[in-house]
Amino acid sequence: MNQCIDQFGGLVWNITRRYVRPDSDAEDVVQETFAELWKKADRFDPARASASTFIGLVARRRSIDWLRRKSRRPALEALPEDFDQKVAAPTDSLPRIDSESLQSALQELPSEIRELFQLHFAGGLTHPEIADRTGLPLGTVKTRLRRGLITLRTLMRGAQPTPESS
Amino acid sequence: MNDPERIARFEELDAARALGDLSAEEQAEWARLVEEHGFEPDEGLDYLVAGLEATLSEQTADPRPELTRRLTASITPFMPLAAEEPRALPARVVPFWRHPALGWMAAAGLAVLLWLPREGETPGVSLAEQRQALLQSAAAVQWEFAGTADFSDLEGDVVWTDDNQNGFMRFRGLPANDPTQAQYQLWIVDPERDERPVDGGVFDIPVGGGEVVVPIRAALRVDQPVAFVITVEQPGGVVVSRQETVAAIAQRG
């Protein structure tokens, strides 16, 4: 477990702080994340995703749970509670999701989409912040991120993406 | 909207769901597409988003040795088997709030609470009369509910005022529920406030038919609602709705 913390502590911290403030609360959520990872380590399927992707999924879910508890407002978010207990996906599922396969697919995206992914996921910018930074309308930012994700899924599956109309 | 257009629209909304940026109206639209057309969310999109966060965040990961030391110090005492293999949990751990006994007690407790006057309700005056009085307010909005496919017999409306944070739903033809098995829950969609809807409370429809008036108890202030959505949930309601059963929607015209 100490090795897991050493290797992924920074990743979990970065993801958690995108959703959780102040830092004291973020540390609590990071603890919860590692506690859940400890209990559900046997649920990790290396054929489905890399360890970092699985850990990122848990970290994101714990952070969104914190937001929900904090605000006491419901989120119609459809990430099922037993997402890590589902059986293997059907034949049109994605191949293993890891850093290498994602980076390869990202390189095939149009540069403007790749830039938005960098700003959002690496830079941690919100959609309004991205709109301010790039000068794009907020609606365009949202649409491009959504369609970019769909295109990324198509690329990961190995098919040719359909032409984008902005 | 034809089928290919509908499919494309659901894909875009599902991508937005995975990204976490669905607006309130889009959430309602997503729920309708799931309920009425049988679409299913793609878990692969969630994995992709997690993978993107993991991959791209790693490029800027802050090692923070101090945080790592604190994490190790705080987590290790709770993991006495740290040197051993993690113990396997049962195949499915049932959250405590889904225990049948607790669900029944929650439902019973709510059944009592539903009969107690709340803020905005007037003891001694029927809910129908209170609704009628509210309807006379110039600031009140009144929208018709539309039942989804499995609730097509439903007729009803919602009356709401932002000023008093008060409102009533009226139903005819909404199936009676067994509070020990499931309850109806109201969600108020207010995109000006937040993309997440506000919990409007759980309620029951008694056996016997006829018209039922239900007071609205919003958990948080709502100023510019655009939709009122009824879902079917476990006894006591939920904090996060999976939108597995959307019964009715009332929207601003």
Coordinates of all heavy atoms in Angstrom, one line a residue, chain B residues 90-175:
Chain B
P90 N -17.3 -9.6 0.1 CA -18.4 -10.3 -0.6 C -18.6 -9.8 -2.0 O -18.3 -8.6 -2.2 CB -19.6 -10.1 0.3 CG -19.0 -9.7 1.7 CD -17.7 -9.0 1.4
A91 N -19.2 -10.6 -2.8 CA -19.4 -10.2 -4.2 C -20.1 -8.8 -4.3 O -19.9 -8.0 -5.2 CB -20.1 -11.2 -5.0
R92 N -21.0 -8.6 -3.4 CA -21.7 -7.3 -3.4 C -22.0 -6.9 -2.0 O -22.6 -7.6 -1.2 CB -23.1 -7.5 -4.2 CG -23.8 -6.2 -4.2 CD -25.0 -6.3 -5.2 NE -25.7 -5.0 -5.2 CZ -25.4 -4.0 -5.9 NH1 -24.3 -4.0 -6.7 NH2 -26.1 -2.9 -5.9
V93 N -21.5 -5.7 -1.7 CA -21.7 -5.2 -0.4 C -22.9 -4.3 -0.5 O -22.9 -3.3 -1.3 CB -20.5 -4.4 0.1 CG1 -20.8 -3.7 1.5 CG2 -19.3 -5.3 0.2
V94 N -23.9 -4.5 0.3 CA -25.1 -3.7 0.3 C -25.0 -2.5 1.2 O -24.7 -2.7 2.4 CB -26.4 -4.6 0.7 CG1 -27.6 -3.7 0.7 CG2 -26.5 -5.8 -0.2
P95 N -25.1 -1.3 0.6 CA -25.0 -0.1 1.5 C -26.0 -0.2 2.6 O -27.1 -0.7 2.4 CB -25.2 1.0 0.5 CG -24.9 0.5 -0.8 CD -25.2 -1.0 -0.8
F96 N -25.6 0.3 3.8 CA -26.5 0.2 4.9 C -27.9 0.8 4.7 O -28.9 0.3 5.2 CB -25.9 0.8 6.2 CG -25.9 2.3 6.2 CD1 -27.0 2.9 6.9 CD2 -24.9 3.0 5.6 CE1 -27.0 4.3 6.9 CE2 -25.0 4.4 5.7 CZ -26.0 5.1 6.3
W97 N -27.9 1.9 3.9 CA -29.2 2.5 3.7 C -30.2 1.7 2.9 O -31.3 2.1 2.7 CB -29.0 3.9 3.2 CG -28.4 4.0 1.8 CD1 -29.0 3.8 0.6 CD2 -27.0 4.1 1.6 NE1 -28.0 3.9 -0.4 CE2 -26.8 4.1 0.2 CE3 -25.9 4.3 2.4 CZ2 -25.6 4.2 -0.4 CZ3 -24.6 4.4 1.8 CH2 -24.5 4.4 0.4
R98 N -29.7 0.6 2.3 CA -30.6 -0.2 1.5 C -31.1 -1.4 2.3 O -31.7 -2.3 1.7 CB -29.9 -0.7 0.2 CG -29.7 0.5 -0.7 CD -29.1 -0.1 -2.0 NE -28.8 1.1 -2.9 CZ -28.1 0.9 -4.0 NH1 -27.7 -0.2 -4.4 NH2 -27.8 2.0 -4.8
H99 N -30.6 -1.5 3.5 CA -31.1 -2.6 4.3 C -32.6 -2.5 4.5 O -33.2 -1.5 4.8 CB -30.5 -2.6 5.7 CG -30.7 -3.8 6.5 ND1 -31.9 -4.1 7.1 CD2 -29.9 -4.9 6.8 CE1 -31.8 -5.3 7.7 NE2 -30.6 -5.8 7.5
P100 N -33.3 -3.6 4.2 CA -34.8 -3.6 4.2 C -35.4 -3.0 5.5 O -36.3 -2.2 5.5 CB -35.2 -5.1 4.1 CG -34.0 -5.7 3.4 CD -32.8 -5.0 3.9
A101 N -34.8 -3.3 6.7 CA -35.3 -2.8 7.9 C -35.2 -1.3 8.0 O -36.1 -0.6 8.4 CB -34.6 -3.5 9.1
L102 N -34.0 -0.8 7.6 CA -33.8 0.6 7.6 C -34.7 1.3 6.6 O -35.1 2.4 6.9 CB -32.3 0.9 7.4 CG -31.4 0.6 8.5 CD1 -29.9 0.9 8.1 CD2 -31.7 1.4 9.8
G103 N -34.9 0.7 5.5 CA -35.7 1.3 4.5 C -37.1 1.5 5.0 O -37.8 2.5 4.9
W104 N -37.6 0.4 5.7 CA -39.0 0.5 6.3 C -39.1 1.6 7.3 O -40.0 2.3 7.4 CB -39.3 -0.9 6.9 CG -40.7 -0.9 7.4 CD1 -41.8 -1.3 6.7 CD2 -41.1 -0.6 8.7 NE1 -42.9 -1.2 7.5 CE2 -42.5 -0.8 8.8 CE3 -40.5 -0.1 9.9 CZ2 -43.3 -0.6 9.9 CZ3 -41.2 0.1 11.0 CH2 -42.6 -0.1 11.0
M105 N -38.0 1.6 8.2 CA -38.1 2.6 9.2 C -38.0 4.0 8.7 O -38.7 4.9 9.1 CB -36.9 2.4 10.2 CG -37.1 1.2 11.1 SD -35.9 1.2 12.5 CE -34.4 0.7 11.6
A106 N -37.2 4.2 7.6 CA -37.1 5.5 7.0 C -38.4 5.9 6.4 O -38.9 7.0 6.5 CB -36.0 5.5 5.9
A107 N -39.1 4.9 5.7 CA -40.4 5.2 5.1 C -41.4 5.5 6.2 O -42.2 6.4 6.1 CB -40.8 4.0 4.3
A108 N -41.4 4.8 7.3 CA -42.3 5.0 8.4 C -42.1 6.4 9.0 O -43.0 7.1 9.3 CB -42.2 3.9 9.5
G109 N -40.8 6.7 9.2 CA -40.5 8.1 9.7 C -41.0 9.2 8.8 O -41.5 10.1 9.2
L110 N -40.8 9.0 7.5 CA -41.2 10.0 6.5 C -42.7 10.0 6.5 O -43.3 11.1 6.3 CB -40.6 9.6 5.1 CG -39.2 10.0 4.9 CD1 -38.7 9.5 3.6 CD2 -39.1 11.6 4.9
A111 N -43.4 8.9 6.6 CA -44.8 8.9 6.6 C -45.3 9.8 7.7 O -46.3 10.5 7.6 CB -45.4 7.5 6.7
V112 N -44.7 9.8 8.9 CA -45.1 10.6 10.0 C -44.8 12.1 9.6 O -45.6 13.0 9.8 CB -44.3 10.2 11.3 CG1 -44.6 11.3 12.4 CG2 -44.8 8.9 11.7
L113 N -43.6 12.3 9.1 CA -43.2 13.7 8.8 C -44.1 14.3 7.8 O -44.3 15.5 7.8 CB -41.7 13.7 8.4 CG -40.7 13.4 9.4 CD1 -39.3 13.3 8.8 CD2 -40.7 14.5 10.5
L114 N -44.5 13.5 6.8 CA -45.4 14.0 5.8 C -46.7 14.6 6.3 O -47.3 15.5 5.7 CB -45.7 13.0 4.7 CG -44.6 12.6 3.7 CD1 -44.9 11.4 2.9 CD2 -44.3 13.8 2.8
W115 N -47.1 14.1 7.5 CA -48.4 14.6 8.0 C -48.2 15.8 8.9 O -49.2 16.4 9.4 CB -49.1 13.5 8.8 CG -49.5 12.5 7.9 CD1 -49.0 11.3 7.6 CD2 -50.7 12.5 7.1 NE1 -49.7 10.6 6.7 CE2 -50.8 11.3 6.3 CE3 -51.7 13.5 6.9 CZ2 -51.8 11.0 5.4 CZ3 -52.7 13.2 6.0 CH2 -52.8 12.0 5.3
L116 N -46.9 16.2 9.2 CA -46.7 17.4 10.0 C -46.7 18.6 9.2 O -46.1 18.6 8.1 CB -45.4 17.2 10.8 CG -45.3 16.1 11.8 CD1 -43.9 16.0 12.4 CD2 -46.4 16.3 12.8
P117 N -47.3 19.7 9.6 CA -47.2 21.0 8.9 C -45.8 21.4 8.7 O -45.0 21.3 9.6 CB -48.0 22.0 9.7 CG -48.8 21.1 10.7 CD -48.0 19.9 10.9
R118 N -45.4 21.9 7.5 CA -44.1 22.4 7.2 C -44.2 23.9 7.0 O -45.3 24.5 6.8 CB -43.5 21.7 6.0 CG -43.2 20.3 6.2 CD -42.2 20.0 7.3 NE -41.7 18.7 7.4 CZ -40.6 18.3 6.8 NH1 -39.9 19.2 6.2 NH2 -40.2 17.1 6.9
E119 N -43.0 24.5 6.9 CA -43.0 25.9 6.6 C -43.7 26.2 5.3 O -43.5 25.5 4.3 CB -41.5 26.4 6.4 CG -41.4 27.9 6.2 CD -39.9 28.3 6.1 OE1 -39.1 27.4 6.4 OE2 -39.7 29.4 5.7
G120 N -44.6 27.2 5.3 CA -45.4 27.5 4.1 C -46.7 26.8 4.1 O -47.5 27.0 3.2
E121 N -46.9 25.8 4.9 CA -48.2 25.1 5.0 C -49.0 25.6 6.1 O -48.4 26.0 7.1 CB -48.0 23.6 5.1 CG -47.3 22.9 3.9 CD -46.9 21.5 4.1 OE1 -47.6 20.8 4.9 OE2 -46.0 21.0 3.6
T122 N -50.3 25.6 5.9 CA -51.1 26.2 7.0 C -52.0 25.2 7.6 O -52.8 24.5 7.0 CB -52.1 27.3 6.3 OG1 -51.3 28.2 5.5 CG2 -52.9 28.0 7.4
P123 N -51.7 24.9 8.9 CA -52.5 23.9 9.6 C -54.0 24.3 9.5 O -54.4 25.5 9.7 CB -52.0 24.0 11.1 CG -50.7 24.7 11.0 CD -50.8 25.6 9.8
G124 N -54.8 23.3 9.4 CA -56.2 23.5 9.3 C -56.8 23.9 7.9 O -58.0 23.9 7.7
V125 N -55.9 24.1 7.0 CA -56.3 24.4 5.6 C -55.8 23.3 4.8 O -54.7 22.9 4.8 CB -55.7 25.8 5.2 CG1 -56.2 26.1 3.7 CG2 -56.1 26.9 6.1
S126 N -56.7 22.7 4.0 CA -56.4 21.6 3.1 C -55.3 22.0 2.1 O -55.2 23.2 1.8 CB -57.6 21.0 2.4 OG -58.0 21.9 1.4
L127 N -54.6 21.0 1.7 CA -53.5 21.2 0.7 C -54.1 21.7 -0.6 O -53.5 22.6 -1.3 CB -52.7 19.9 0.4 CG -51.9 19.4 1.6 CD1 -51.2 18.1 1.3 CD2 -50.8 20.5 2.0
A128 N -55.3 21.2 -0.9 CA -55.9 21.7 -2.2 C -56.3 23.2 -2.0 O -56.1 24.0 -3.0 CB -57.2 20.9 -2.4
E129 N -56.7 23.6 -0.9 CA -57.1 25.0 -0.7 C -55.8 25.9 -0.7 O -55.8 27.0 -1.2 CB -57.8 25.2 0.6 CG -59.2 24.6 0.6 CD -59.9 24.5 2.0 OE1 -59.1 24.5 3.0 OE2 -61.1 24.5 2.0
Q130 N -54.7 25.3 0.0 CA -53.5 26.1 0.0 C -53.0 26.2 -1.5 O -52.4 27.3 -1.8 CB -52.4 25.4 0.8 CG -52.8 25.4 2.3 CD -51.7 24.6 3.1 OE1 -50.5 24.8 3.0 NE2 -52.2 23.7 4.0
R131 N -53.1 25.2 -2.2 CA -52.6 25.2 -3.6 C -53.4 26.3 -4.4 O -52.9 27.1 -5.2 CB -52.8 23.9 -4.3 CG -52.5 23.9 -5.8 CD -52.9 22.5 -6.4 NE -52.8 22.6 -7.9 CZ -53.8 23.2 -8.6 NH1 -54.9 23.6 -8.1 NH2 -53.6 23.2 -10.0
Q132 N -54.7 26.3 -4.2 CA -55.6 27.2 -4.9 C -55.2 28.7 -4.5 O -55.2 29.6 -5.4 CB -57.0 26.9 -4.6 CG -58.0 27.6 -5.5 CD -57.8 27.2 -6.9 OE1 -57.5 26.1 -7.3 NE2 -58.0 28.2 -7.8
A133 N -54.9 28.9 -3.2 CA -54.5 30.2 -2.8 C -53.2 30.6 -3.5 O -53.1 31.8 -3.9 CB -54.4 30.2 -1.3
L134 N -52.3 29.7 -3.5 CA -51.0 30.0 -4.2 C -51.2 30.3 -5.6 O -50.5 31.2 -6.2 CB -50.0 28.9 -4.0 CG -48.6 29.1 -4.4 CD1 -48.0 30.1 -3.4 CD2 -47.8 27.8 -4.3
L135 N -52.1 29.6 -6.2 CA -52.3 29.8 -7.7 C -52.8 31.2 -8.0 O -52.7 31.7 -9.1 CB -53.4 28.8 -8.2 CG -53.4 28.5 -9.7 CD1 -52.1 28.1 -10.2 CD2 -54.4 27.4 -9.9
Q136 N -53.4 31.9 -7.0 CA -53.9 33.2 -7.2 C -52.8 34.2 -7.2 O -53.0 35.4 -7.6 CB -54.9 33.6 -6.1 CG -56.1 32.6 -5.9 CD -56.8 32.4 -7.3 OE1 -57.1 33.3 -8.0 NE2 -57.1 31.1 -7.6
S137 N -51.6 33.8 -6.8 CA -50.5 34.7 -6.7 C -50.0 35.1 -8.1 O -49.9 34.2 -9.0 CB -49.3 34.1 -5.9 OG -48.1 34.9 -6.2
A138 N -49.8 36.3 -8.4 CA -49.3 36.7 -9.7 C -48.0 36.1 -10.1 O -47.7 35.9 -11.3 CB -49.3 38.3 -9.8
A139 N -47.2 35.8 -9.1 CA -45.9 35.3 -9.3 C -45.8 33.8 -9.5 O -44.8 33.2 -9.8 CB -45.0 35.7 -8.1
A140 N -47.0 33.1 -9.3 CA -47.0 31.7 -9.4 C -46.9 31.2 -10.8 O -47.5 31.8 -11.7 CB -48.3 31.1 -8.8
V141 N -46.2 30.1 -11.0 CA -46.2 29.5 -12.3 C -46.9 28.2 -12.2 O -46.9 27.5 -11.2 CB -44.7 29.2 -12.8 CG1 -44.0 30.5 -13.0 CG2 -44.0 28.3 -11.9
Q142 N -47.6 27.8 -13.3 CA -48.3 26.5 -13.3 C -48.0 25.8 -14.6 O -48.2 26.3 -15.7 CB -49.8 26.8 -13.2 CG -50.6 25.5 -13.2 CD -52.1 25.8 -13.3 OE1 -52.5 26.9 -13.6 NE2 -52.9 24.8 -12.9
W143 N -47.3 24.6 -14.4 CA -47.0 23.8 -15.6 C -47.6 22.4 -15.5 O -47.7 21.9 -14.4 CB -45.4 23.7 -15.7 CG -44.7 24.9 -15.8 CD1 -45.2 26.1 -16.3 CD2 -43.3 25.2 -15.4 NE1 -44.2 27.1 -16.2 CE2 -43.1 26.5 -15.7 CE3 -42.3 24.4 -14.8 CZ2 -41.8 27.1 -15.4 CZ3 -41.1 24.9 -14.6 CH2 -40.9 26.3 -14.9
E144 N -48.0 21.9 -16.7 CA -48.6 20.6 -16.7 C -47.5 19.5 -16.7 O -46.4 19.7 -17.3 CB -49.4 20.4 -18.0 CG -50.5 21.4 -18.2 CD -51.6 21.2 -17.2 OE1 -51.9 20.0 -16.9 OE2 -52.2 22.2 -16.7
F145 N -47.8 18.4 -15.9 CA -46.9 17.3 -16.0 C -47.2 16.4 -17.2 O -48.4 16.2 -17.5 CB -47.0 16.4 -14.7 CG -46.2 16.8 -13.5 CD1 -46.7 17.4 -12.4 CD2 -44.8 16.6 -13.6 CE1 -45.9 17.8 -11.3 CE2 -44.0 17.0 -12.5 CZ -44.5 17.5 -11.4
A146 N -46.1 15.9 -17.8 CA -46.3 14.9 -18.8 C -45.7 13.6 -18.3 O -44.6 13.5 -17.9 CB -45.5 15.3 -20.1
G147 N -46.6 12.5 -18.3 CA -46.1 11.2 -17.9 C -45.2 10.6 -18.9 O -45.5 10.7 -20.1
T148 N -44.2 9.8 -18.5 CA -43.4 9.1 -19.4 C -44.2 7.8 -19.8 O -45.3 7.6 -19.4 CB -42.1 8.7 -18.8 OG1 -42.3 7.9 -17.6 CG2 -41.3 9.9 -18.4
A149 N -43.5 7.0 -20.6 CA -44.2 5.9 -21.3 C -45.0 5.0 -20.3 O -46.1 4.6 -20.6 CB -43.2 5.0 -22.1
D150 N -44.3 4.6 -19.2 CA -45.0 3.8 -18.2 C -46.0 4.5 -17.3 O -46.6 3.9 -16.5 CB -44.0 3.0 -17.4 CG -43.1 2.1 -18.2 OD1 -43.6 1.6 -19.2 OD2 -42.0 1.8 -17.8
F151 N -46.1 5.8 -17.5 CA -47.0 6.6 -16.6 C -47.8 7.5 -17.5 O -48.2 8.6 -17.1 CB -46.1 7.5 -15.7 CG -45.3 6.7 -14.7 CD1 -44.0 6.2 -15.1 CD2 -45.7 6.3 -13.4 CE1 -43.2 5.5 -14.2 CE2 -45.0 5.6 -12.6 CZ -43.7 5.2 -13.0
S152 N -48.3 6.9 -18.6 CA -49.0 7.7 -19.6 C -50.4 8.1 -19.1 O -51.0 9.0 -19.7 CB -49.1 6.9 -20.9 OG -49.7 5.7 -20.7
D153 N -50.9 7.4 -18.1 CA -52.2 7.8 -17.6 C -52.2 9.0 -16.7 O -53.2 9.5 -16.2 CB -52.9 6.6 -16.8 CG -53.2 5.5 -17.8 OD1 -53.4 5.7 -19.0 OD2 -53.2 4.3 -17.3
L154 N -51.0 9.4 -16.3 CA -50.9 10.5 -15.4 C -51.4 11.8 -15.9 O -51.1 12.2 -17.1 CB -49.4 10.7 -15.0 CG -49.0 11.7 -14.0 CD1 -47.7 11.3 -13.3 CD2 -48.7 13.1 -14.6
E155 N -52.1 12.5 -15.0 CA -52.5 13.9 -15.3 C -52.0 14.7 -14.1 O -52.2 14.3 -13.0 CB -54.0 14.1 -15.5 CG -54.5 13.4 -16.8 CD -56.0 13.5 -16.9 OE1 -56.6 13.9 -15.9 OE2 -56.5 13.0 -17.9
G156 N -51.6 15.9 -14.3 CA -51.2 16.7 -13.2 C -50.5 18.0 -13.5 O -50.3 18.3 -14.7
D157 N -50.2 18.7 -12.5 CA -49.5 20.0 -12.7 C -48.7 20.4 -11.5 O -48.9 19.7 -10.4 CB -50.5 21.1 -13.1 CG -51.5 21.4 -12.0 OD1 -51.3 21.1 -10.8 OD2 -52.6 21.9 -12.4
V158 N -47.9 21.4 -11.6 CA -47.1 21.9 -10.5 C -47.4 23.4 -10.5 O -47.4 24.1 -11.5 CB -45.6 21.6 -10.7 CG1 -45.1 22.1 -12.0 CG2 -44.8 22.1 -9.5
V159 N -47.6 23.9 -9.3 CA -47.7 25.3 -9.0 C -46.5 25.7 -8.1 O -46.3 25.1 -7.1 CB -49.0 25.7 -8.4 CG1 -49.1 27.2 -8.1 CG2 -50.2 25.2 -9.2
W160 N -45.8 26.8 -8.5 CA -44.6 27.1 -7.7 C -44.4 28.7 -7.8 O -44.7 29.3 -8.8 CB -43.4 26.5 -8.4 CG -42.1 27.0 -7.8 CD1 -41.3 27.9 -8.3 CD2 -41.5 26.5 -6.6 NE1 -40.2 28.1 -7.5 CE2 -40.3 27.2 -6.4 CE3 -41.8 25.5 -5.6 CZ2 -39.5 27.0 -5.3 CZ3 -41.0 25.3 -4.6 CH2 -39.8 26.0 -4.4
T161 N -44.0 29.2 -6.6 CA -43.6 30.6 -6.6 C -42.1 30.7 -6.1 O -41.8 30.1 -5.0 CB -44.5 31.5 -5.7 OG1 -44.3 31.0 -4.3 CG2 -45.9 31.4 -6.1
D162 N -41.3 31.4 -6.8 CA -39.9 31.7 -6.3 C -39.9 32.5 -5.0 O -39.1 32.3 -4.2 CB -39.1 32.4 -7.4 CG -38.9 31.5 -8.6 OD1 -39.0 30.3 -8.5 OD2 -38.7 32.1 -9.7
D163 N -40.9 33.5 -5.0 CA -40.9 34.4 -3.8 C -41.0 33.7 -2.5 O -40.2 34.0 -1.6 CB -42.0 35.4 -4.0 CG -41.8 36.3 -5.2 OD1 -40.7 36.4 -5.7 OD2 -42.8 37.0 -5.6
N164 N -42.0 32.8 -2.4 CA -42.2 32.1 -1.2 C -41.5 30.8 -1.1 O -41.6 30.1 0.0 CB -43.7 31.8 -1.0 CG -44.5 33.1 -0.9 OD1 -44.0 34.1 -0.6 ND2 -45.8 33.0 -1.3
Q165 N -40.8 30.4 -2.2 CA -40.2 29.0 -2.2 C -41.2 28.0 -1.8 O -41.0 27.1 -1.0 CB -39.0 29.0 -1.2 CG -37.8 29.9 -1.7 CD -37.2 29.3 -3.0 OE1 -36.6 28.3 -3.1 NE2 -37.4 30.1 -4.1
N166 N -42.4 28.1 -2.4 CA -43.5 27.3 -2.0 C -44.2 26.7 -3.2 O -44.2 27.4 -4.3 CB -44.5 28.1 -1.2 CG -45.5 27.3 -0.5 OD1 -45.4 26.1 -0.3 ND2 -46.7 27.9 -0.2
G167 N -44.7 25.5 -3.1 CA -45.4 25.0 -4.3 C -46.1 23.7 -4.0 O -46.0 23.2 -2.9
F168 N -46.9 23.3 -4.9 CA -47.7 22.1 -4.8 C -47.8 21.4 -6.1 O -47.8 22.0 -7.2 CB -49.2 22.5 -4.4 CG -49.2 23.1 -3.0 CD1 -49.1 24.5 -2.9 CD2 -49.4 22.3 -1.9 CE1 -49.2 25.1 -1.6 CE2 -49.4 22.9 -0.6 CZ -49.3 24.3 -0.5
M169 N -47.7 20.1 -6.0 CA -48.0 19.2 -7.2 C -49.4 18.6 -7.0 O -49.8 18.4 -5.9 CB -46.9 18.1 -7.2 CG -45.5 18.6 -7.4 SD -44.3 17.3 -7.5 CE -44.3 16.8 -5.7
R170 N -50.0 18.4 -8.2 CA -51.3 17.8 -8.1 C -51.3 16.7 -9.2 O -50.9 16.9 -10.3 CB -52.4 18.8 -8.5 CG -53.8 18.3 -8.4 CD -54.8 19.4 -8.7 NE -54.6 19.9 -10.1 CZ -55.5 20.8 -10.7 NH1 -56.6 21.1 -10.0 NH2 -55.3 21.2 -11.9
F171 N -51.8 15.5 -8.7 CA -51.7 14.3 -9.6 C -53.1 13.6 -9.6 O -53.8 13.6 -8.7 CB -50.7 13.3 -9.1 CG -49.3 13.8 -9.0 CD1 -48.7 14.1 -7.8 CD2 -48.6 14.0 -10.2 CE1 -47.4 14.6 -7.8 CE2 -47.3 14.5 -10.1 CZ -46.7 14.8 -8.9
R172 N -53.3 13.1 -10.8 CA -54.4 12.1 -11.0 C -53.9 11.0 -11.9 O -53.3 11.4 -12.9 CB -55.6 12.8 -11.6 CG -56.9 11.9 -11.7 CD -58.0 12.7 -12.3 NE -58.5 13.8 -11.4 CZ -59.4 13.6 -10.4 NH1 -59.9 12.4 -10.2 NH2 -59.8 14.6 -9.6
G173 N -54.1 9.8 -11.5 CA -53.6 8.7 -12.4 C -52.1 8.3 -12.1 O -51.6 7.5 -12.9
L174 N -51.5 8.9 -11.1 CA -50.1 8.4 -10.8 C -50.3 7.2 -9.9 O -51.0 7.2 -8.9 CB -49.4 9.5 -10.0 CG -47.9 9.2 -9.7 CD1 -47.1 9.1 -11.0 CD2 -47.3 10.4 -8.9
P175 N -49.7 6.1 -10.3 CA -49.9 4.8 -9.6 C -49.5 4.9 -8.1 O -48.6 5.6 -7.8 CB -49.0 3.8 -10.3 CG -48.8 4.4 -11.7 CD -48.8 5.9 -11.5

